[in-house]
Amino acid sequence: MQVTASNLIGVDLITGQTIEGEGHVIVTAFSLHRAINQMNPTARCIMHTHQPYVASLNCLQDPRLLMVHQESCSFYGKIAYDSIYNGVSDNEEEGKRLAQVLQDKEILFQSNHGVTAAGSTVAYTFGQLYYLERACMYQMMAMKTGRQLKEIPTDIVMKTKENGDRYDWEIFFDAMKRMLLAKGSRFDC
């Protein structure tokens, strides 16, 4: 399904009923998004995806994103890992459990599943998911060689992360929209 401005709905966080737009609430999305938003009110935008490299990493016994590439450094200290797969998150308790695992982190790796990102804006949250997929891709490709991974020293990781924390996500998001429009893709947000 393509997400567009016209198919977004507003949902009452108490009742779970649609209050804006047309459509019904997807229970799995509502249970997780509501729980995260209630636990962390600064999470104004919550996105959940099944990107191939992140999802593949989540299929491993140890799904940790290692600090082996420049892109990885941006996520130092931002990722929470859920090691339990309980099937589809279709109830309030599972949403609360996942929100508790995430706590104040921005990224939730969900075992045998996908990833959830929580951020302050759409641009920031989208950017985090975009670069997270790249970081996971580099790690998975390096792991495929069977050779030992070379981790970046923590002091360099921190320095690189600080530099990345100053990134202007609105400029990145606008550039991505322009790229998609130039290719003739529909992008309504």
Side-chain angles (χ1 to χ4, degrees):
M1 178 175 128
Q2 180 182 17
V3 176
T4 65
S6 62
N7 65 17
L8 292 175
I9 60 172
V11 178
D12 182 292
L13 285 178
I14 305 297
T15 66
Q17 300 300 309
T18 301
I19 56 174
E20 250 184 287
E22 293 182 28
H24 66 280
V25 177
I26 299 170
V27 176
T28 56
F30 181 70
S31 68
L32 179 59
H33 291 228
R34 176 170 83 169
I36 291 172
N37 189 259
Q38 287 176 334
M39 182 169 276
N40 183 353
T42 62
R44 310 259 312 135
C45 177
I46 302 162
M47 295 182 183
H48 174 77
T49 69
H50 296 187
Q51 296 161 282
Y53 288 101
V54 179
S56 295
L57 194 56
N58 281 327
C59 291
L60 300 177
Q61 186 67 37
D62 180 1
R64 283 178 300 131
L65 179 67
L66 302 174
M67 300 296 111
V68 295
H69 189 274
Q70 177 176 303
E71 302 297 354
S72 309
C73 298
S74 297
F75 300 100
Y76 183 79
K78 290 183 180 181
I79 302 174
Y81 297 90
D82 178 32
S83 62
I84 301 168
Y85 177 67
N86 284 331
V88 177
S89 174
D90 61 355
N91 61 66
E92 191 173 341
E93 292 76 34
E94 182 65 2
K96 285 180 182 177
R97 185 188 74 75
L98 291 168
Q100 186 65 39
V101 173
L102 178 63
Q103 291 191 12
D104 62 344
K105 305 278 190 205
E106 296 177 1
I107 305 290
L108 176 62
F109 273 40
Q110 294 171 256
S111 185
N112 304 102
H113 195 86
V115 63
T116 299
S120 57
T121 67
V122 170
Y124 177 79
T125 308
F126 176 84
Q128 293 299 286
L129 286 173
Y130 178 87
Y131 282 106
L132 178 64
E133 177 68 357
R134 302 301 284 183
C136 291
M137 179 186 76
Y138 297 135
Q139 180 173 326
M140 294 294 287
M141 290 174 78
M143 290 170 68
K144 194 173 178 178
T145 69
R147 296 172 62 190
Q148 186 173 354
L149 299 177
K150 181 181 179 184
E151 293 199 51
I152 301 169
T154 304
D155 61 324
I156 303 299
V157 169
M158 295 300 295
K159 193 168 143 181
T160 306
K161 180 186 178 301
E162 288 170 17
N163 187 51
D165 287 347
R166 294 189 293 270
Y167 195 77
D168 189 329
W169 293 104
E170 296 297 327
I171 290 173
F172 168 78
F173 193 59
D174 288 342
M176 292 298 284
K177 288 192 291 188
R178 284 192 305 275
M179 245 175 38
L180 289 170
L181 289 170
K183 290 181 179 179
S185 297
R186 192 170 144 208
F187 199 94
D188 296 332
C189 63

